[in-house]
């Protein structure tokens, strides 16, 4: 639905995933890998997965990008929408 809406309106589509910050307990457990590196690894893995999902969309004539944010999901999305002045936000059902 989002792809069709973007295509019909010649709009850009950004697919966003928000990963939460590592909890304090996880930081203590991650002694061999610095917490910042562990967080970067999680973001990188999610971004690769998102890119695999949007690959088929690229062939449909829609300008689409993937982005991974870190933080509390609803706050991260709100901040990103305000920063980028997006016109429409669609969320998948869980």
């Amino acid at each position: 639905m989002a792809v069709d809406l973007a295509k019909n309106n010649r709009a850009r589509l950004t697919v966003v995933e928000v990963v939460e910050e590592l909890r304090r307990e996880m930081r203590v457990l991650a002694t061999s890998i610095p917490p910042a590196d562990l967080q970067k690894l999680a973001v990188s893995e999610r971004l690769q997965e998102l890119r695999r999902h949007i690959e088929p969309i690229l062939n449909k004539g829609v300008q689409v990008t993937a982005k991974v944010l870190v933080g509390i999901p609803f706050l991260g999305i709100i901040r990103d929408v305000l920063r980028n002045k997006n016109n429409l936000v669609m969320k998948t059902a869980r």
Side-chain angles (χ1 to χ4, degrees):
M1 177 163 182
V3 174
D4 293 333
L5 193 57
K7 186 174 182 176
N8 292 339
N9 291 283
R10 293 185 218 117
R12 289 177 285 117
L13 178 63
T14 304
V15 178
V16 176
E17 171 99 21
V18 183
V19 295
E20 294 191 33
E21 274 188 65
L22 289 178
R23 294 193 320 225
R24 183 177 214 138
E25 303 85 46
M26 291 299 292
R27 292 180 188 175
V28 172
L29 292 175
T31 56
S32 63
I33 302 174
D37 291 347
L38 197 57
Q39 187 76 62
K40 286 179 188 175
L41 180 63
V43 168
S44 176
E45 286 178 359
R46 292 302 304 148
L47 187 56
Q48 286 177 3
E49 188 172 327
L50 277 180
R51 286 180 177 154
R52 281 193 299 272
H53 285 296
I54 67 170
E55 212 170 290
I57 299 169
L58 297 172
N59 299 327
K60 295 186 177 189
V62 175
Q63 184 182 352
V64 60
T65 57
K67 183 188 298 188
V68 176
L69 307 173
V70 177
I72 299 169
F74 78 94
L75 289 176
I77 292 170
I78 291 170
R79 285 184 186 121
D80 194 65
V81 166
L82 292 173
R83 272 188 210 115
N84 296 297
K85 297 180 170 60
N86 300 99
N87 295 324
L88 176 67
V89 175
M90 297 176 78
K91 184 183 180 314
T92 60
R94 291 229 165 174

